[in-house]
């Protein structure tokens, strides 16, 4: 450094300026290189490149890896179901609750190269239930009730459904109520569970529970007195939930004026909706109503169309029942 200063003092002023400029340029280039190197290092670290990919270690990380493989993104154009399934299995085996219920659902339904296996589904639902999943209890109850993947055991099924029903799950409340309501000793409790399910807010279980309540009340059953007006209220709720059979019964109530004031037009509207759901009794009732009304001639084209649809459904039923 001393020699460099001595040599600099021997230079002319223009030479000194040129040297200072050259030094500043070299310093600037060095800073640019350092900055560029730092940026590249940060970029590689952010992208997970440069070093070997970090493998999932915890059960939660394994589950997230499975989720990522199912979602196409920058690094993969298509989802990788086979890879996701392997990580899902590892996560489930490591005790991750959501992975266990997801894996059980995959085995229950099958598809995408996975053979349906009710026994494996039951096993994983049981592991999830042991960790406190009341949703798993709903499926365990269904498998026990139907004897799929496990020996049929209705009593055990009711135990699992009761556990889930007490946790506030409408599907379990409906299933428990539906079974209990078919017995003389359990009908009162069953009706209470059906009411809870029917008032839960929405979904298939709500409509089914409301339909069962309508059925119990329309004629009375096992100590529950008949109350056709109350039955009509539950059938209307079930119809709103999309249940075709309940809509059909409610339509007939409107058209006959029993138990509410007669409203033929409203009844026909309900019949048309139920017929549009391919509910055969509703189609047959609609055809009769169209051909027996005051405007039968004008309604014949519609009646003929519904008659053709009914014939298609009736011809298709034997094939469907063999599947």
């Amino acid at each position: 450094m001393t020699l460099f200063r001595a040599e600099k003092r021997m230079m002319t002023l223009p030479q000194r300026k040129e040297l200072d400029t050259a030094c500043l340029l070299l310093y600037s280039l060095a800073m640019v290189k350092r900055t560029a190197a730092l940026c590249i290092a940060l970029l590689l670290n952010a992208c997970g490149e440069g070093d070997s990919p970090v493998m999932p270690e915890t059960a939660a990380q394994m589950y997230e890896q499975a989720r990522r493989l199912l979602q196409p993104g920058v690094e993969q154009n298509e989802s990788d179901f086979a890879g996701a399934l392997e990580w899902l299995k590892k996560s489930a085996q490591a005790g991750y609750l959501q992975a266990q219920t997801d894996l059980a659902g995959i085995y229950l339904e099958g598809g995408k190269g996975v053979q349906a296996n009710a026994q494996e589904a039951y096993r994983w639902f049981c592991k999830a239930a042991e960790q406190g999943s009341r949703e798993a209890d709903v499926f365990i109850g269904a498998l026990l009730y139907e004897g799929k993947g496990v020996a049929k055991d209705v009593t055990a099924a009711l135990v699992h459904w009761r556990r889930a029903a007490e946790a506030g799950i409408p599907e379990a409340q409906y299933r428990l109520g539906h079974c209990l309501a078919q017995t003389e000793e359990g009908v009162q409790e069953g009706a209470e569970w059906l009411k809870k399910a029917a008032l839960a807010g929405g979904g298939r279980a709500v409509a089914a529970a409301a339909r069962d309540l309508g059925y119990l009340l329309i004629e009375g059953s096992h100590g529950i007195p008949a109350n056709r007006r109350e039955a009509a209220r539950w059938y209307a709720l079930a119809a709103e939930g999309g249940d075709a059979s309940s809509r059909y019964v409610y339509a007939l109530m409107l058209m006959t004026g029993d138990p509410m004031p007669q409203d033929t037009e409203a009844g026909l509207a309900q019949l048309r909706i139920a017929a549009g759901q391919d509910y055969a009794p509703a189609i047959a009732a609609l055809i009769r109503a169209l051909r027996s009304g005051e405007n039968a001639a004008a309604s014949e084209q519609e009646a003929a169309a519904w008659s053709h649809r009914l014939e298609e459904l009736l011809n298709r039923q034997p094939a469907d029942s063999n599947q």
Side-chain angles (χ1 to χ4, degrees):
M1 189 67 176
T2 304
L3 179 61
F4 176 77
R5 289 176 178 173
E7 289 176 348
K8 187 176 179 182
R9 283 196 297 270
M10 295 173 63
M11 295 178 181
T12 62
L13 183 60
Q15 288 175 328
R16 289 180 183 179
K17 288 183 177 180
E18 288 179 2
L19 180 60
D20 290 339
T21 302
C23 290
L24 181 60
L25 180 59
L26 289 172
Y27 177 78
S28 299
L29 288 172
M31 290 298 294
V32 169
K33 287 182 179 179
R34 288 179 60 190
T35 303
L38 178 60
C39 289
I40 291 172
L42 291 173
L43 182 61
L44 290 174
N45 183 61
C47 296
E49 299 174 4
D51 297 322
S52 58
V54 178
M55 298 298 287
E57 295 180 355
T58 68
Q61 289 172 344
M62 294 173 187
Y63 182 74
E64 286 305 313
Q65 177 69 1
R67 284 170 52 88
R68 280 194 293 270
L69 289 173
L70 286 175
Q71 299 173 357
V74 175
E75 297 180 0
Q76 57 182 37
N77 295 325
E78 298 180 355
S79 61
D80 181 3
F81 182 81
L85 182 61
E86 289 306 310
W87 282 112
L88 190 64
K89 288 179 180 178
K90 291 178 181 180
S91 179
Q93 290 163 354
Y96 196 64
L97 176 59
Q98 190 60 54
Q100 292 173 342
T101 55
D102 287 359
L103 185 59
I106 290 172
Y107 279 125
L108 183 64
E109 298 296 331
K112 291 191 175 181
V114 178
Q115 186 72 29
N117 188 328
Q119 189 172 1
E120 276 296 287
Y122 178 78
R123 185 169 75 89
W124 285 110
F125 277 132
C126 285
K127 288 184 178 294
E130 289 170 3
Q131 294 202 69
S133 173
R134 301 286 72 92
E135 288 81 3
D137 278 310
V138 179
F139 289 99
I140 294 170
L143 290 169
L144 285 164
Y145 187 81
E146 298 170 12
K148 292 177 62 176
V150 64
K152 184 179 178 70
D153 190 336
V154 174
T155 302
L158 294 179
V159 170
H160 284 279
W161 283 339
R162 184 180 295 279
R163 191 180 297 162
E166 290 172 348
I169 299 176
E171 181 70 26
Q173 292 170 342
Y174 160 66
R175 288 176 178 264
L176 178 63
H178 177 79
C179 289
L180 291 174
Q182 297 180 57
T183 64
E184 185 173 357
E185 63 276 8
V187 67
Q188 296 289 344
E189 183 189 359
E192 290 304 312
W193 282 117
L194 288 173
K195 286 179 183 178
K196 288 183 179 181
L199 297 174
R204 187 200 73 87
V206 170
R211 179 196 61 214
D212 279 11
L213 284 168
Y215 179 80
L216 285 174
L217 290 166
I218 198 166
E219 298 293 346
S221 176
H222 298 307
I224 294 182
N227 187 332
R228 294 179 70 82
R229 188 171 293 277
E230 187 70 7
R233 185 173 76 87
W234 289 114
Y235 275 125
L237 181 62
E240 289 176 8
D243 186 75
S245 64
S246 297
R247 196 181 297 279
Y248 163 68
V249 174
Y250 185 60
L252 297 183
M253 287 179 165
L254 287 167
M255 295 175 71
T256 59
D258 179 18
M260 72 281 285
Q262 186 175 21
D263 190 337
T264 304
E265 289 304 314
L268 281 172
Q270 293 293 329
L271 272 184
R272 285 189 173 95
I273 297 173
Q277 294 175 274
D278 281 344
Y279 188 62
I283 298 176
L286 179 58
I287 293 169
R288 289 194 299 270
L290 291 171
R291 286 178 170 165
S292 63
E294 296 179 357
N295 299 317
S299 303
E300 179 55 32
Q301 185 175 357
E302 181 185 358
W306 283 117
S307 181
H308 178 69
R309 181 57 183 159
L310 180 60
E311 185 177 355
E312 288 181 338
L313 290 175
L314 295 177
N315 289 335
R316 196 177 67 188
Q317 282 180 355
D320 291 345
S321 63
N322 291 329
Q323 293 180 356

